[in-house]
Amino acid sequence: LDAGSQQIEMSPTSQGRAIASGAAHFDWELSPTLRLFMGLGCLAYWLDAYVLWRVGFAIPSVIFVIVALCSACADAVRPQGEWGRLARQIDRLWGTGALIMVAIINAVSWLSFLAVLTAIVSSLFWLYQSRKVSTWAPDQPWVYVLVHSTWHVWGAVSIVIVTSAVMEVAASLQPSLARRTALALALEFVP
């Protein structure tokens, strides 16, 4: 994924290449203010961690804490060279895994699965836009930070909304269902 190119591909294959390459989507130097703003956007994933903890998913909650920290390291701290590439690879790998995990956790019915899928796809729109920023807002790093932070915040908030709603409805219909989805059984070792 070359941020300077005019065509940006968004597919599972392109995400796999982005994870494997660890390539940066831009090469601007961010000011301390922009780094702080980006870091705060990355920490929005703590909202997901909190909600997952509240509905009884301890291990997935910890995974979202790790996602927030990896995201802040890759996007706000932005180490240079090989460390930066490694930080982006780890961030993309953990983030992709967390999105898949939360989709499975919320798949207690076809309707809930469609809701979480809609949340994820709508947040991916902002990721797509952030990858295109260098083509439609060259030399304006604040635009990238704003759009990429929107990807983090919208993604986190949409997952919070879906998870809260799905788990509340599932608990009211069948209390054991709210905590015992397929992934929860695989991840939770406490009865």
Side-chain angles (χ1 to χ4, degrees):
L1 293 172
D2 177 11
S5 70
Q6 292 296 325
Q7 186 171 1
I8 306 293
E9 177 189 1
M10 287 294 290
S11 69
T13 303
S14 69
Q15 181 63 8
R17 284 193 304 270
I19 292 170
S21 74
H25 297 297
F26 70 92
D27 59 3
W28 302 304
E29 184 59 37
L30 297 180
S31 69
T33 303
L34 290 179
R35 285 177 187 254
L36 176 64
F37 190 81
M38 180 71 88
L40 292 173
C42 296
L43 296 180
Y45 294 118
W46 282 353
L47 297 170
D48 298 312
Y50 174 75
V51 167
L52 287 163
W53 182 271
R54 294 279 300 167
V55 298
F57 293 108
I59 293 173
S61 175
V62 171
I63 289 171
F64 268 96
V65 168
I66 293 169
V67 166
L69 295 174
C70 289
S71 182
C73 180
D75 293 346
V77 175
R78 298 187 52 79
Q80 298 301 310
E82 284 301 307
W83 285 110
R85 186 182 63 73
L86 182 61
R88 287 185 295 274
Q89 287 174 317
I90 292 169
D91 171 41
R92 292 168 185 167
L93 185 63
W94 276 90
T96 300
L99 280 176
I100 293 167
M101 176 190 66
V102 82
I104 295 170
I105 285 173
N106 283 296
V108 298
S109 71
W110 280 107
L111 184 59
S112 65
F113 178 72
L114 287 175
V116 76
L117 192 60
T118 301
I120 290 170
V121 169
S122 69
S123 68
L124 289 174
F125 167 81
W126 291 105
L127 175 61
Y128 176 69
Q129 292 305 316
S130 76
R131 289 182 177 176
K132 289 181 10 177
V133 162
S134 66
T135 63
W136 53 266
D139 301 322
Q140 296 182 31
W142 68 270
V143 175
Y144 173 81
V145 170
L146 179 65
V147 174
H148 197 75
S149 294
T150 302
W151 140 249
H152 291 296
V153 172
W154 174 252
V157 169
S158 65
I159 289 170
V160 162
I161 291 168
V162 170
T163 301
S164 298
V166 166
M167 293 302 141
E168 185 172 330
V169 169
S172 69
L173 296 176
Q174 183 179 356
S176 64
L177 183 62
R179 199 165 184 287
R180 296 295 173 207
T181 62
L183 185 63
L185 289 172
L187 290 177
E188 297 292 335
F189 302 105
V190 180

